[in-house]
Amino acid sequence: MTLFGYNIEAEYIICSLAGVILLLLIFDIIQFVKISKLKKRQLAFMEGKDAKSLEEEITSRFAEIKSLNERETKSEEDIAKIFKTLENTFQKRAVVRYDAFREAGGLQSFVVALLDEKNNGSILNCVYSSRQGTYVYLREIKEGMSEIELSEEEQQALDTAKLQ
């Protein structure tokens, strides 16, 4: 047989056409499997719903998403406020007990250091004397430092609090 001026045997033509048909059959099977999966997904999605109820379902889902986004925004704002408040609250503390006078005994005097995140705060020194009563001193602390010279116990409480 001659085709386009070439001598070609019929067996070659038949084999070539059979190969093309087999290739097309494989592609057809692949497309059939894909369409079947898509139909199953569509049936599962549409099961028991008409167009109106489906539209209502989609609308309610969008409303839920909007509500969740609003709650997330509010939560983020609340968290930012909490962190801002925490910057000014006492987060570090230390207590040092000591004997102010030898006759007092029992570690009745104490120093309390209270600091915020930036090491600002106060040192409260309560000195107990059995004869004269109790004296209370307050020292202001700015950025971990005091303008007034601190006693050994006050400095110890400040150093301990700053390490936290």
Side-chain angles (χ1 to χ4, degrees), residues 45-46 48-65:
F45 181 69
M46 299 294 290
K49 296 180 180 168
D50 58 4
K52 184 168 178 76
S53 66
L54 186 59
E55 181 181 349
E56 290 171 356
E57 182 71 23
I58 290 172
T59 303
S60 73
R61 295 293 181 214
F62 278 123
E64 286 179 24
I65 290 171

Side-chain angles (χ1 to χ4, degrees), residues 1 25 32-33 43 48 58 80 85 89 103 127 134 140 144-145 156 158:
M1 170 192 258
L25 182 63
F32 177 75
V33 169
L43 286 174
I58 290 172
T85 301
T89 59
E103 74 269 0
V127 180
T134 302
E140 184 179 12
M145 303 293 289
Q156 181 184 355
L158 178 61

Side-chain angles (χ1 to χ4, degrees), residues 10-72:
E11 294 92 25
Y12 291 129
I13 294 175
I14 293 173
C15 286
S16 297
L17 289 176
V20 169
I21 291 172
L22 183 63
L23 190 61
L24 289 174
L25 182 63
I26 291 171
F27 285 136
D28 191 37
I29 291 171
I30 291 171
Q31 292 303 318
F32 177 75
V33 169
K34 287 182 178 181
I35 289 172
S36 295
K37 288 180 181 178
L38 188 59
K39 280 184 180 180
K40 286 180 185 176
R41 289 177 61 194
Q42 180 189 16
L43 286 174
F45 181 69
M46 299 294 290
E47 188 175 301
K49 296 180 180 168
D50 58 4
K52 184 168 178 76
S53 66
L54 186 59
E55 181 181 349
E56 290 171 356
E57 182 71 23
I58 290 172
T59 303
S60 73
R61 295 293 181 214
F62 278 123
E64 286 179 24
I65 290 171
K66 183 179 178 184
S67 172
L68 287 173
N69 285 338
E70 289 170 355
R71 279 193 259 161
E72 179 186 13

